[in-house]
Amino acid sequence: MAGTLYLCATPIGNLDDMTFRVIETLKKVDLIAAEDTRHSIKLMNHFQIKTKMTSYHEYNKYDKAKILVKQMLEGKDIALVTDAGTPGISDPGEELVRQCHEAGIRVTALPGACALINALVISGRPARRFCFEAFLPYDKKERKKILDQLQDETRTIILYEAPHHLEKTLRDLKESLGNRKMTLCRELTKKYESVHLTTIEDLLEKLETNPPRGECVLIIEGRSFEELEEESRESFLKMPLEEHMAIYLNQGYSRKEAMKMTAKDRGVSKRDIYQQLLQQK
């Protein structure tokens, strides 16, 4: 009978956030796969966990996952831990989970600390709809592509960033998104945890005299539907009416249907469109 993969959330700063269930599971599994064994050994020693560990990280995730899957198919139970937080979020764990599912191995998650959720709920920003981008890519082309996609994002945006890269990231965000309202969360769950409601521009100014310390989570407001609709309406109003109508006529709509959709785009009545078209004849 095949074993099970346990995704075990570990503290993101405060060791008291380790759950009893995770401790018990880490003690009873046959093997712990850790993103960095040198880092995780401190956690294991603190909770007197003696289970054997092996490394599973970004640079060996494909080949090592195959080895771990083979061991689970032979009946071993394996726990996966990341350096901090929930495995599979912005770390190589998702590859192991994928291979486990393909092999028919049971995967279960033991909930616990998650930096993006902690930051979101204390940020003071809308939490009903959000998108998580983790760390922005370092490759310039890929980074620009992601930032371009975020320009019209209406959901709250969550990013991770290291303190020494924060200023550059904020400048890129300002250039792409403009001066948005945002919240900077630092040192989550630790003694000097801070939550700073600000704007991108104001935060950039403060960084000049007060460089940040500790890992950062950026919670950035999305654009409102009203703002996007107004921009769309303004762009249509700049377009000649017949050209606007042609967009829908060329798609096979009748003239009556095209007038109705054009009126909606421009925020006017269909009668207004009809009158304008008459005047242009």
Side-chain angles (χ1 to χ4, degrees), residues 243 245-253:
E243 184 179 327
M245 284 279 293
I247 293 175
Y248 297 113
L249 292 172
N250 292 336
Q251 293 177 31
Y253 291 101

Side-chain angles (χ1 to χ4, degrees), residues 152 154 223-237 264-267:
D152 291 334
T154 57
R223 299 192 67 186
S224 69
F225 288 112
E226 293 77 15
E227 186 181 9
L228 289 174
E229 288 171 1
E230 181 61 29
E231 283 189 5
S232 176
R233 187 176 298 115
E234 288 178 359
S235 67
F236 279 125
L237 288 172
K264 183 178 179 182
D265 290 341
R266 292 176 173 249

Side-chain angles (χ1 to χ4, degrees), residues 23-183:
I23 295 171
E24 181 184 351
T25 300
L26 291 176
K27 286 182 177 180
K28 75 177 185 181
V29 294
D30 299 294
L31 182 67
I32 298 171
E35 189 175 6
D36 185 340
T37 55
R38 295 167 300 178
H39 177 87
S40 294
I41 192 63
K42 301 172 186 176
L43 183 70
M44 304 306 158
N45 288 340
H46 181 82
F47 290 104
Q48 299 180 340
I49 297 167
K50 308 296 184 183
T51 307
K52 181 181 177 183
M53 284 198 296
T54 187
S55 64
Y56 176 78
H57 48 72
E58 183 65 28
Y59 303 104
N60 72 355
K61 64 181 181 182
Y62 298 108
D63 294 334
K64 191 60 174 282
K66 294 177 183 177
I67 295 171
L68 295 174
V69 166
K70 183 175 182 295
Q71 290 177 306
M72 283 182 276
L73 287 173
E74 293 170 352
K76 287 187 175 181
D77 289 328
I78 295 179
L80 178 66
V81 297
T82 182
D83 286 348
T86 301
I89 297 178
S90 191
D91 75 19
E94 61 183 334
E95 174 60 26
L96 179 56
V97 171
R98 184 187 67 78
Q99 290 197 28
C100 281
H101 283 303
E102 289 181 350
I105 294 168
R106 177 175 176 259
V107 179
T108 187
L110 281 61
C114 180
L116 77 96
I117 298 300
N118 273 50
L120 176 62
V121 296
I122 64 176
S123 69
R125 305 299 173 194
R128 189 177 73 84
R129 301 173 63 249
F130 63 91
C131 66
F132 174 58
E133 287 292 342
F135 291 91
L136 288 174
Y138 291 122
D139 178 80
K140 288 184 178 180
K141 288 185 179 178
E142 188 179 357
R143 188 181 182 93
K144 186 178 185 307
K145 188 181 296 184
I146 296 296
L147 288 169
D148 287 347
Q149 290 176 349
L150 291 176
Q151 285 181 356
D152 291 334
E153 178 59 67
T154 57
R155 295 169 295 179
T156 298
I157 302 165
I158 306 174
L159 302 174
Y160 287 164
E161 193 51 275
H164 53 287
H165 290 143
L166 181 59
E167 183 176 350
K168 172 177 170 42
T169 293
L170 288 171
R171 294 194 183 284
D172 289 345
L173 288 169
K174 181 184 174 183
E175 183 178 345
S176 294
L177 310 183
N179 186 31
R180 302 274 186 94
K181 291 179 182 178
M182 64 163 291
T183 301

Side-chain angles (χ1 to χ4, degrees), residues 211-228:
R213 295 180 182 178
E215 296 300 311
C216 303
V217 184
L218 283 61
I219 315 292
I220 306 160
E221 72 170 359
R223 299 192 67 186
S224 69
F225 288 112
E226 293 77 15
E227 186 181 9
L228 289 174

